[in-house]
Amino acid sequence: MTNFIQDVLIDLKNKQANFSDLIFILPSRRAGVFLRRELSLILDQTLFAPKIVSIESFVEELSELKSVSNTELLFQFYNTYIQLTPKPEREDFDTFSKWAQIILQDFNEIDRYLIPQSKIFDYLKAIQDLEHWSLEPNQTEVVTNYLKFWNKLPIYYKNFTQNLIENKQGYQGLLYREAFNNIKNYIDSTNQQHIFLGFNALNAAEENIIQDLLREDLASIYWDTDQSFLDNKIHDAGLFIRQHQNNWEHFKTAPFNWKNNHYKSQKNISVFGVPKNIGQAKAIGSILQELSKNDPSLKKTAVVLGDENLLIPVLNSIPESVKTLNITMGFPLKSIPLASLFEHLFNLQKKNSLTYYYKDVISILTHQFIQPLFKNGSAIDLVELINKNNLVYLTEADLKAICKTESALLSLLFSNWNNDANTGLNSCFKLISTIKEHLSEDKKQNQLGLEYLYRFNTLFNEILRLNDAYKHIKDIKGLYSIFKELLSSETLDFQGEPLQGLQIMGMLESRVLDFETIIISNVNEGILPSGKSNNSFIPFDVKIENKLPTYKEKDAVYTYHFYHLLQRAKNVYVLYNTEIDTLVGGEKSRFINQLELENIHNINHKILTPKVPSYKKELAIITKTESAISQLKEIARKGFSPSSLTSYVRNPIDFYYQKLLGISDLEEVEETIAANTLGTVVHNTLEQLYLPYKQQLLTVDIVKSLIPQIDKNITSFFKEEYKEGDMTKGKNLIVFEIAKRYVLNFLNLEIEDLKKGNTIKIIDLEAETNNVAIKIEGLDFPIQLRGTVDRIDEFNGVTRIIDYKTGKVDQSKVSIVDWEDLTSDYDKYSKSFQVLMYAYMLHKKKITELPLEAGIVSFKNLSEGLLKFTKKDQVRGGNKDTLITEDTLVEFEIQLKKLILEIFDPTIDFIEKEL
């Protein structure tokens, strides 16, 4: 089957047209590339190539104006605004740009559709007057200013467009209006034939220009549509072309070229529902893999992306068997890694503060373009220091003080821009230059990075040019909004051969082009079609009255493009996202439902799910090598602590990572005081308060005298542990108050006990029990035990070993029935193991006499007092023994030795436990 462009050229050849004198006018520049190729294949003689232009280029030539970018239009419109608006009523450029973008779009539509300006502006003003009509003689200031704005709109338009025309410039709509005004002069000055092909939705200016050329027999027009779409009066794919056929005078006498019947020909149409965007990308990769088996070149295949964000996932999913491809879409500059660096810098400077939030600082220091600029890994060292010292807010001076060797670089990154746009631009240029110097050291390796830098340098140069010319950007907020505006419209072009291999394109780039195999992604409501979006100041009914396009026409444009892709295709794959996302797109598109309801083709509809391999997590097993055993011996020589032994009980693999490999948890800034920090502060405070009363009997007055000291000690220890962290607000203030309350409640508990006539004598605080030797049969090397006991006291003459816990502990966690269980379950018995080990070590060091009691004070369960270790005969009921005797420690020693023997047993590997 021939494609549309071939059909047009064959028809012109049959009519013996002089191709050198023709002007081909197409909907897009892209189509011109394919037209040139088809020309070279169809023509069998050498001749001068005809002129091939896009409709935009043709209109620009007719208008005798130069098209201006949206960003520059914004600056020029602001010039008009400040000329016509009294100073007290003016808004700054950043605020102005928010609504001016919409006004410019409306100006564009009004001009493209040749609406008389005075008519529509008067209409809009009358609507606003009616909406804000009131019997009240005095309107509010807001209403008055609002109505003033609508009164000034025609003046803004007239002044703005006049200035543009004087400078031979214009926006797209103005170019169309001027082109329409100039068409008569153009017709008088030319005798060339104009060939319009592949058009669908035309604005009023385009319609009038084409009809005038047709009327003067200076043009031919070829439509690319299907009889099925035109005959069905409610089919949106034929909406515009039906209107042209019925309304244009030309078609009352001239033939209508063409209505073909390709759509009803045999097609293989598959509709695949795939979860998420990444799923669609992978599905496209699988489809291409299958297609390339029969057609390795895939030169008649196109992937049409409904959502441009799918481009990178799709490129990563293309199989290796696809050797050549052409990407007509540019890679959005906003998706380049360098864009995120400038985003971070602007976020830092927008607040115009001398102190920076640590996450903003770290995101810059660890950025892939910044980290290599620091010598000897000093960026990582700086981040580690920030984390270690809990530096939540930092100044430039703080950073320089920490990293003195990189003072110049830190100034470049973190010096304050003083809310000045020129300072900000200069800093960005200097940073680009610094990064360029570094990347240029290895140009071959950093070609892509240097290309990124070049594009961003160009972008900032454009901002500098605009600001030098118009001087409207006064602050960082305004600079950032223009940066975002330019960034959103800029793309990085891919290099490729446009006529070879697989084609990857957006929906609009597919106009006029035909492919045998089509893969269309993101066919969801809100994407294809894009649905209702009213980004306009012109109300819906006013648009209808003035024949301006609404969402209905916009949907019809998408319908035409969708069905045009299917028209001549033999194999069609339509993919949609099964997961409804309200921010991106909704349910499957109405286009899919329409395909199924038409009942013209058999639709192969499937839901695809990714192949998820059945992955069974294998628990890690580390063999005890000679090296591991020798490390264990070194740990034993220094001393096993209760926490290290219980960590082995909890999970041997964690014990291996922490104790043998020395892998500790990643240190991060504690924005909110962590539980372990709170525990340390409470421990240290209680030690400090009771320290003067070691070996003394406590009295009610002594304990009461400690209460006023709580605040000072808690504050001091928080500063010591929490470094530079702020404890004066937010969650930290709550944690600070909780720490004070914990200590106060504990002192009140002591006072209650003393008032009941109990005696309490402090024996020792934070008692260190190091170098406690233990002999184990079968191990011929020294083994030491060590630990620190929070408090040893005598309560009514009975020695007590107390361990403080700021978390919640209840009596069941310090009770045991069978001694064998002690080393089997970390959660149930680790607290019992700890207190028994403290008792064992203190007894071995002869610091305490037996019998004694050992237990835990849980600050979250303080009403229970000391939770004493209890040996029970049975789980419920039976005898309960809270005194730790020689027999108790003998039983404990058996379990302790058994555990240490297991740790050193080379036949028992470190086996991970499922937690």
Side-chain angles (χ1 to χ4, degrees), residues 842-883:
L842 289 168
H843 178 62
K844 291 269 280 185
K845 291 286 277 186
K846 296 187 169 47
I847 295 171
T848 57
E849 297 290 328
L850 297 176
L852 54 77
E853 292 177 337
I856 284 169
V857 170
S858 168
F859 288 96
K860 279 191 177 176
N861 192 14
L862 210 51
S863 59
E864 296 294 315
L866 178 67
L867 302 167
K868 300 171 187 176
F869 167 74
T870 306
K871 173 66 177 76
K872 300 197 292 188
D873 288 345
Q874 54 194 61
V875 176
R876 287 183 178 80
N879 293 325
K880 295 178 181 177
D881 190 2
T882 59
L883 278 177

Side-chain angles (χ1 to χ4, degrees), residues 274-281 310 522 576-581:
V274 191
K276 297 292 183 185
N277 271 358
I278 197 72
Q280 291 183 75
L310 208 63
N522 300 96
Y576 68 93
N577 187 355
T578 56
E579 307 300 302
I580 293 173
D581 186 337

Side-chain angles (χ1 to χ4, degrees), residues 600-818:
I600 295 172
H601 304 286
N602 289 324
I603 311 294
N604 172 27
H605 197 155
K606 287 181 182 175
I607 301 297
L608 304 183
T609 52
K611 287 181 182 176
V612 181
S614 55
Y615 174 69
K616 187 182 177 184
K617 185 177 183 281
E618 291 185 9
L619 299 175
I621 299 173
I622 307 291
T623 306
K624 286 178 187 164
T625 60
E626 286 183 20
S627 172
I629 297 290
S630 67
Q631 277 184 275
L632 285 170
K633 287 177 182 178
E634 180 59 24
I635 294 166
R637 189 186 64 76
K638 290 178 181 176
F640 286 116
S641 66
S643 60
S644 66
L645 291 173
T646 53
S647 81
Y648 178 85
V649 172
R650 181 178 178 272
N651 194 355
I653 212 76
D654 288 344
F655 174 87
Y656 171 76
Y657 289 145
Q658 290 167 12
K659 302 301 175 186
L660 275 77
L661 299 186
I663 299 172
S664 55
D665 292 334
L666 179 67
E667 191 153 16
E668 293 179 323
V669 170
E670 283 181 40
E671 282 187 77
T672 306
I673 296 164
N676 59 343
T677 305
L678 170 65
T680 304
V681 168
V682 171
H683 277 66
N684 292 348
T685 301
L686 287 171
E687 180 192 8
Q688 191 66 27
L689 292 174
Y690 282 109
L691 204 56
Y693 304 103
K694 275 171 71 170
Q695 300 300 326
Q696 287 187 38
L697 282 168
L698 297 179
T699 64
V700 171
D701 289 338
I702 286 173
V703 179
K704 280 184 176 178
S705 71
L706 302 178
I707 292 172
Q709 300 174 42
I710 295 173
D711 202 303
K712 179 185 76 176
N713 280 288
I714 291 278
T715 305
S716 168
F717 287 116
F718 261 125
K719 280 185 179 171
E720 190 179 300
E721 292 297 322
Y722 197 46
K723 312 295 183 194
E724 303 294 325
D726 185 5
M727 299 173 299
T728 60
K729 55 179 180 272
K731 289 180 181 176
N732 287 347
L733 179 59
I734 295 170
V735 176
F736 179 75
E737 292 299 325
I738 286 170
K740 292 200 306 193
R741 182 60 59 88
Y742 278 171
V743 176
L744 178 63
N745 288 349
F746 180 77
L747 295 182
N748 286 334
L749 187 71
E750 299 265 79
I751 290 167
E752 277 180 42
D753 282 338
L754 291 167
K755 281 182 177 177
K756 288 175 185 174
N758 297 305
T759 61
I760 302 173
K761 181 183 177 183
I762 302 293
I763 305 298
D764 205 351
L765 298 162
E766 298 297 321
E768 289 189 1
T769 52
N770 295 332
N771 305 321
V772 179
I774 179 171
K775 291 275 186 190
I776 301 176
E777 195 175 331
L779 301 179
D780 57 353
F781 45 84
I783 296 168
Q784 307 280 352
L785 304 176
R786 62 183 177 85
T788 304
V789 181
D790 293 338
R791 169 166 154 167
I792 306 166
D793 68 13
E794 281 183 9
F795 189 85
N796 294 334
V798 178
T799 303
R800 298 190 307 180
I801 296 166
I802 298 173
D803 191 31
Y804 301 134
K805 299 287 182 194
T806 46
K808 176 81 181 280
V809 181
D810 55 41
Q811 184 61 54
S812 65
K813 297 289 168 67
V814 281
S815 302
I816 190 165
V817 177
D818 295 320

Side-chain angles (χ1 to χ4, degrees), residues 773-776 785 819 822 836 840 844 886-900:
I774 179 171
K775 291 275 186 190
I776 301 176
L785 304 176
W819 286 105
L822 194 61
L836 284 169
Y840 179 80
K844 291 269 280 185
E886 191 76 47
D887 291 342
T888 312
L889 294 183
V890 166
E891 290 290 348
F892 171 73
E893 189 179 48
I894 292 167
Q895 300 306 318
L896 176 64
K897 288 181 176 181
K898 197 162 82 172
L899 178 62
I900 294 171

Side-chain angles (χ1 to χ4, degrees), residues 61-301:
E61 189 182 319
L62 269 182
S63 70
E64 298 176 355
L65 302 176
K66 187 176 183 300
S67 182
V68 182
S69 70
N70 287 339
T71 311
E72 185 154 2
L73 283 171
L74 207 56
F75 281 84
Q76 297 207 24
F77 189 28
Y78 193 61
N79 270 355
T80 301
Y81 172 76
I82 56 179
Q83 281 172 22
L84 301 174
T85 310
K87 202 164 188 177
E89 296 174 21
R90 283 181 205 161
E91 292 178 335
D92 62 67
F93 182 70
D94 185 50
T95 310
F96 162 85
S97 65
K98 302 288 189 293
W99 57 263
Q101 298 270 22
I102 301 170
I103 290 284
L104 288 172
Q105 284 176 32
D106 288 340
F107 285 174
N108 195 43
E109 288 293 273
I110 288 165
D111 283 336
R112 282 178 355 116
Y113 284 83
L114 306 175
I115 310 297
Q117 302 95 324
S118 56
K119 175 189 168 188
I120 194 162
F121 288 133
D122 288 346
Y123 201 154
L124 290 170
K125 179 184 169 298
I127 288 170
Q128 299 305 325
D129 284 338
L130 277 171
E131 284 184 357
H132 295 89
W133 177 81
S134 172
L135 288 170
E136 295 293 325
N138 297 320
Q139 292 169 324
T140 65
E141 188 183 347
V142 173
V143 171
T144 305
N145 289 337
Y146 185 66
L147 293 174
K148 267 187 197 174
F149 168 77
W150 286 100
N151 285 329
K152 282 182 181 171
L153 209 51
I155 307 165
Y156 288 150
Y157 172 85
K158 186 178 178 185
N159 190 293
F160 177 52
T161 52
Q162 276 178 353
N163 288 338
L164 286 171
I165 290 168
E166 283 170 16
N167 292 316
K168 294 287 182 186
Q169 294 178 323
Y171 50 86
Q172 191 194 55
L174 189 59
L175 264 61
Y176 272 102
R177 193 185 282 274
E178 288 301 301
F180 168 71
N181 293 337
N182 295 341
I183 189 65
K184 295 285 187 283
N185 293 335
Y186 177 78
I187 287 170
D188 293 340
S189 65
T190 188
N191 58 3
Q192 283 184 282
Q193 274 291 314
H194 301 73
I195 311 297
F196 292 90
L197 62 154
F199 287 91
N200 171 46
L202 298 167
N203 59 50
E206 287 170 333
E207 283 195 53
N208 280 285
I209 289 167
I210 294 170
Q211 286 188 80
D212 283 350
L213 288 166
L214 288 170
R215 201 176 295 116
E216 299 297 327
D217 203 24
L218 290 171
S220 299
I221 187 160
Y222 291 88
W223 306 100
D224 188 10
T225 189
D226 197 278
Q227 194 75 47
S228 308
F229 311 147
L230 292 178
D231 291 349
N232 185 343
K233 300 300 180 192
I234 59 169
H235 203 306
D236 275 355
L239 175 71
F240 297 107
I241 296 176
R242 274 198 303 273
Q243 290 173 359
H244 304 327
Q245 186 180 8
N246 296 331
N247 300 338
W248 287 17
E249 285 289 323
H250 176 75
F251 294 122
K252 289 179 180 174
T253 54
F256 187 86
N257 295 334
W258 288 304
K259 300 175 193 175
N260 59 56
N261 275 305
H262 298 311
Y263 180 65
K264 287 187 176 177
S265 62
Q266 176 66 34
K267 300 180 192 301
N268 301 314
I269 300 179
S270 297
V271 175
F272 296 147
V274 191
K276 297 292 183 185
N277 271 358
I278 197 72
Q280 291 183 75
K282 296 297 179 192
I284 289 169
S286 299
I287 293 165
L288 292 172
Q289 181 78 55
E290 283 300 310
L291 292 173
S292 63
K293 289 176 182 175
N294 299 321
D295 177 18
S297 70
L298 294 177
K299 64 180 180 182
K300 294 181 180 179
T301 302

